[in-house]
Amino acid sequence: GESVGLHLPTLSVQEGDNSIINCAYSNSASDYFIWYKQESGKGPQFIIDIRSNMDKRQGQRVTVLLNKTVKHLSLQIAATQPGDSAVYFCAETTRGNNRLAFGKGNQVVVIP
Amino acid sequence: GAGVSQSPRYKVAKRGQDVALRCDPISGHVSLFWYQQALGQGPEFLTYFQNEAQLDKSGLPSDRFFAERPEGSVSTLKIQRTQQEDSAVYLCASSLRGGTGKMDTQYFGPGTRLTVL
């Protein structure tokens, strides 16, 4: 299918290495943040979320870090695998607003 | 269980035609969202339903775009008199709860890729 990730920042990572994907969010009032993974021809898939009262949350092989001072979010993927190749989006929203605002995507390419 | 499904997966329309895109949310999910994703971009919010009520349609780009969810489950996004700039992937998402003060995960369908010639 057609690539989601045309002209996106690309991170190339060796299989087994750790990946770090960064995101700058725009709204200082945002209090809920989500990382989504999108493979070509598919819809975004939920990876992990974090609320603004936290600065770190861990999942299976993934960690999200939130720095509200500089409005920065990062996603760390441990031991990156070929199946992790995709475009990754951060999204933000506020408690009183159900709409998600997505950031610019980052394409991750895992080199076997 | 089944996830969010959308149909058709691909739609080609001639400029000026009307199109209807269908979304079947996860059973029991109260909230339903439509997003538009241009090539190489992140999804952009179009509209939001809580059950059958359309609570936010501020993201619809023009009055040619219309969405409905008459029975609080299946939703249809209709685009009248399609233009080339309407070419995009249209994503539907649903979440379990609804209402302000409740933030929960939005689960996305595979999208419908609309190409307007």
Side-chain angles (χ1 to χ4, degrees):
Chain A
E2 199 164 352
S3 171
V4 172
L6 291 178
H7 310 302
L8 290 174
T10 300
L11 172 68
S12 295
V13 59
Q14 203 72 34
E15 180 179 358
D17 287 352
N18 298 335
S19 304
I20 299 176
I21 307 161
N22 296 302
C23 174
Y25 65 91
S26 56
N27 187 354
S28 56
S30 292
D31 51 15
Y32 180 54
F33 306 88
I34 312 100
W35 279 100
Y36 283 92
K37 170 187 178 183
Q38 188 172 28
E39 297 173 277
S40 185
K42 297 184 178 180
Q45 175 190 354
F46 172 87
I47 301 174
I48 191 168
D49 59 3
I50 188 168
R51 300 184 191 277
S52 59
N53 60 352
M54 304 172 68
D55 54 20
K56 180 179 180 179
R57 189 164 188 224
Q58 288 186 288
Q60 186 176 14
R61 282 201 309 118
V62 294
T63 300
V64 55
L65 300 177
L66 173 63
N67 184 330
K68 295 182 288 294
T69 303
V70 294
K71 294 192 288 187
H72 184 267
L73 198 64
S74 68
L75 178 70
Q76 300 176 1
I77 305 174
T80 313
Q81 302 170 357
D84 295 328
S85 293
V87 176
Y88 290 79
F89 292 98
C90 64
E92 60 184 296
T93 190
T94 57
R95 186 174 291 276
N97 182 346
N98 291 278
R99 59 198 292 177
L100 293 175
F102 284 80
K104 297 185 190 301
N106 285 267
Q107 179 141 36
V108 172
V109 176
V110 181
I111 304 165
Chain B
V4 178
S5 61
Q6 293 186 246
S7 60
R9 290 296 315 279
Y10 302 92
K11 176 70 178 177
V12 179
K14 292 183 180 178
R15 188 162 55 93
Q17 281 185 332
D18 297 349
V19 298
L21 312 180
R22 177 187 168 108
C23 172
D24 286 78
I26 295 171
S27 178
H29 276 199
V30 169
S31 296
L32 185 145
F33 305 81
W34 284 98
Y35 292 83
Q36 180 190 60
Q37 186 173 26
L39 191 62
Q41 304 292 320
E44 297 216 355
F45 172 83
L46 294 176
T47 187
Y48 158 62
F49 290 85
Q50 184 178 326
N51 295 308
E52 69 278 3
Q54 189 175 19
L55 299 186
D56 186 350
K57 55 182 180 179
S58 61
L60 296 176
S62 78
D63 58 8
R64 295 187 295 104
F65 287 70
F66 171 77
E68 60 183 6
R69 193 187 185 198
E71 297 178 359
S73 55
V74 171
S75 177
T76 304
L77 176 67
K78 298 179 179 178
I79 309 173
Q80 297 176 323
R81 305 180 302 283
T82 53
Q83 304 295 315
Q84 285 189 323
E85 61 263 28
D86 300 335
S87 295
V89 174
Y90 290 86
L91 294 162
C92 176
S94 70
S95 67
L96 181 60
R97 296 173 292 182
T100 59
K102 301 181 179 66
M103 296 181 291
D104 62 342
T105 305
Q106 293 185 25
Y107 296 93
F108 283 81
T112 295
R113 180 174 295 281
L114 173 65
T115 303
V116 182
L117 303 177

